[in-house]
Amino acid sequence: MKFSEFYRLLENDGWYIKSTNKLIKYVHPAKTGFIPAGKHGS
């Protein structure tokens, strides 16, 4: 699976990007915690 596909799956489930320092942090308004994702290309 490509990272772009992974990001698309997260965003379709309602996750959004919180901050982009060294990692991309996906957070969800109804779920606790976050998902760290590295900044990678395909």
Side-chain angles (χ1 to χ4, degrees), residues 7-18 25-29 31-35:
Y7 298 149
R8 194 175 314 119
L9 287 174
L10 287 176
E11 291 169 1
N12 287 340
D13 189 40
W15 294 84
Y16 63 94
I17 297 175
K18 176 73 172 184
K25 293 181 182 178
Y26 277 95
V27 294
H28 196 278
K31 299 177 183 177
T32 60
F34 65 93
I35 297 176

